[in-house]
Amino acid sequence: MADRVYIFDTTLRDGEQSPGCSMTVPEKLRMGAKLVELGADILEAGFPIASDGDFEAVEAVAREFPWVQVAALARANKMDIERAAQALKGARRPRIHTFIATSDIHLKFKLKKSQQQVLDEAVAAVTLARQYCDDVEFSAEDATRTDWDYLEKISRAVVAAGARTVNLPDTVGYSVPEEYGAMIGRMAKALGNSAIVSVHCHDDLGLAVANSLAAVRAGARQVECTINGIGERAGNAALEEVVMAMKTRHDHYPYETKIVTEHLFEASQMLSSIITFGPQPNKAIVGENAFAHEAGIHQDGFLKERTTYEIMDPKSVGVPESKLVLGKHSGRHALAKRCEDLGIALTKEQLDVMYHRFTTLADRKKGVRNDEILKLAQEVSAGAAVAGLQK
Ligand code: MN
């Protein structure tokens, strides 16, 4: 299928290697189960040479979910690749993901190697990895700061050596959508049907999702991403955003993934319960406020017809329902709705009194809770009763 986009989840590898996100093997298995249920195509479970824990995690994830493709990361050297292969020994659908940096800046300062040396090592690594499994992915680390002619040359060479997926990451989050799309377009054209072009974007400029989508439009068919966008520094492209952009704007992004979007919120919540932090409240798709409305004009429109202010149905991502937050910007319509939901029957006059008291209270606070609304309503009803007696 030409328009099928594979979701390569790296929550358990790139995500896990960022501050506050490390996971034990049982935690990776728990998260892994959720990612499988979500429908991720490939799970990158760890970097086996990095630690025994990572080695065990790859082994365990592959054992627990044998029908899923499980990837293990390895630098482009013999020791790393053999360690990855060993961790994947029991896997039914193993993938070795090997990488080496290709940009001048990394070659000069980090690797201290020539372009030819790096190309030779990349080819040797892929050749070796292919001895252990058919499914080999090669990543040209810091691809976006690599000379395009050299990038094309090394991409062709690793495919000739047996790589089936060529990942061209924006490792440092430096690229912008137009530039990244052009680069991916050129490489996808060069490789044709010989390999899947993959992207892996970081969010240093807040462009990881935009860059990933531009790349898909340019021919990439694998997106590497994480739940809640966790990952090195500012994080990776957020899986939930990439997927929901393609689903909500299918007119613009006519591509299919296997993600069951109704599980997105649960996956986000589970990850938050495992690592040390959750998404910020205003995070797209899964943040606490992603489907919350406080402004009166918005609440009124929303109550008349949801789609006036919501482009996605919260249920489509697993959020039970939209929230109407009652605060100083809220209107009469939302207050009346809340009273009704709380089982309080008010006359029009009572609602007017109630609304006046409510705005006075809301002016002093960040939001008004249900128990405060109940108390106000009781006061208003009691006041009316007293007024009635005095007549
Ligand atoms: Mn990364």
Side-chain angles (χ1 to χ4, degrees):
M1 233 193 327
D3 56 1
R4 168 82 154 89
V5 171
Y6 294 91
I7 297 295
F8 177 111
D9 181 279
T10 187
T11 306
L12 306 180
R13 199 280 297 167
D14 203 321
E16 195 244 356
Q17 76 188 49
S18 58
C21 297
S22 66
M23 295 178 221
T24 62
V25 175
E27 285 170 340
K28 281 198 183 183
L29 282 176
R30 200 146 58 88
M31 193 64 219
K34 189 51 83 180
L35 295 167
V36 168
E37 186 182 36
L38 185 64
D41 295 290
I42 303 120
L43 299 191
E44 186 164 54
F47 191 1
I49 196 85
S51 73
D52 289 344
D54 260 37
F55 182 92
E56 284 166 36
V58 170
E59 234 180 6
V61 169
R63 190 184 334 109
E64 198 78 11
F65 315 107
W67 62 94
V68 177
Q69 279 172 277
V70 175
L73 189 66
R75 285 167 298 188
N77 67 57
K78 193 165 180 286
M79 234 169 60
D80 278 37
I81 290 168
E82 285 177 350
R83 189 82 177 136
Q86 211 183 334
L88 288 167
K89 217 165 159 188
R92 206 180 302 162
R93 301 182 68 192
R95 171 180 293 192
I96 295 178
H97 177 196
T98 186
F99 73 96
I100 190 164
T102 52
S103 65
D104 287 344
I105 191 165
H106 278 235
L107 263 58
K108 185 176 173 199
F109 296 105
K110 188 179 85 172
L111 299 177
K112 302 185 196 309
K113 285 174 181 164
S114 69
Q115 286 188 341
Q116 189 59 48
Q117 272 175 299
V118 165
L119 190 141
D120 292 343
E121 288 178 23
V123 168
V126 170
T127 307
L128 176 64
R130 274 302 302 266
Q131 289 177 15
Y132 295 102
C133 70
D134 290 341
D135 185 359
V136 172
E137 170 171 338
F138 173 78
S139 278
E141 190 191 2
D142 203 19
T144 47
R145 294 190 297 175
T146 299
D147 174 76
W148 287 11
D149 290 335
Y150 177 60
L151 193 62
E152 184 177 328
K153 191 173 162 190
I154 198 166
S155 298
R156 287 179 186 275
V158 293
V159 170
R164 284 184 179 174
T165 305
V166 176
N167 182 41
L168 302 169
D170 187 22
T171 307
V172 292
Y174 179 72
S175 204
V176 294
E178 296 76 13
E179 176 190 71
Y180 197 50
M183 186 192 95
I184 294 296
R186 170 169 166 183
M187 304 307 156
K189 197 171 162 213
L191 297 180
N193 290 327
S194 65
I196 285 184
V197 172
S198 165
V199 293
H200 174 117
C201 297
H202 279 272
D203 211 30
D204 299 71
L205 293 174
L207 293 170
V209 170
N211 284 339
S212 301
L213 292 170
V216 168
R217 282 193 61 140
R221 286 295 176 268
Q222 175 178 287
V223 177
E224 304 195 356
C225 45
T226 61
I227 298 295
N228 293 350
I230 66 168
E232 292 278 6
R233 305 182 308 282
N236 285 78
L239 183 153
E240 60 276 9
E241 295 178 24
V242 170
V243 169
M244 287 313 289
M246 290 199 273
K247 186 171 175 175
T248 308
R249 293 304 311 276
H250 203 71
D251 58 326
H252 197 71
Y253 301 111
Y255 312 103
E256 307 293 338
T257 71
K258 219 174 74 207
I259 297 296
V260 184
T261 61
E262 288 77 9
H263 290 305
L264 286 171
F265 185 64
E266 260 176 37
S268 165
Q269 295 277 301
M270 174 172 283
L271 180 65
S272 305
S273 74
I274 290 173
I275 62 174
T276 58
F277 58 92
Q280 81 264 18
N282 61 338
K283 165 82 174 59
I285 318 293
V286 293
E288 204 189 322
N289 292 351
F291 295 95
H293 309 274
E294 177 168 339
I297 296 168
H298 291 219
Q299 291 179 331
D300 181 55
F302 171 84
L303 288 167
K304 285 171 176 155
E305 166 55 40
R306 186 186 64 78
T307 55
T308 53
Y309 286 98
E310 273 186 0
I311 60 164
M312 293 169 275
D313 184 338
K315 290 191 182 67
S316 71
V317 300
V319 171
E321 57 189 359
S322 308
K323 262 189 296 192
L324 291 184
V325 177
L326 292 181
K328 63 180 278 201
H329 304 105
S330 304
R332 210 171 288 245
H333 195 164
L335 181 65
K337 172 80 169 57
R338 179 66 59 88
C339 288
E340 195 189 309
D341 290 348
L342 292 171
I344 310 163
L346 294 174
T347 63
K348 196 181 166 297
E349 290 71 30
Q350 285 173 331
L351 184 65
D352 287 342
V353 179
M354 170 97 184
Y355 183 65
H356 179 73
R357 293 209 194 165
F358 163 78
T359 50
T360 311
L361 176 66
D363 252 340
R364 292 183 274 122
K365 305 183 79 238
K366 303 286 178 208
V368 183
R369 298 187 313 266
N370 279 348
D371 61 303
E372 295 169 319
I373 290 172
L374 265 173
K375 191 160 167 273
L376 269 185
Q378 279 157 0
E379 283 168 16
V380 170
S381 309
V386 170
L389 281 177
Q390 284 171 346
K391 262 186 198 163

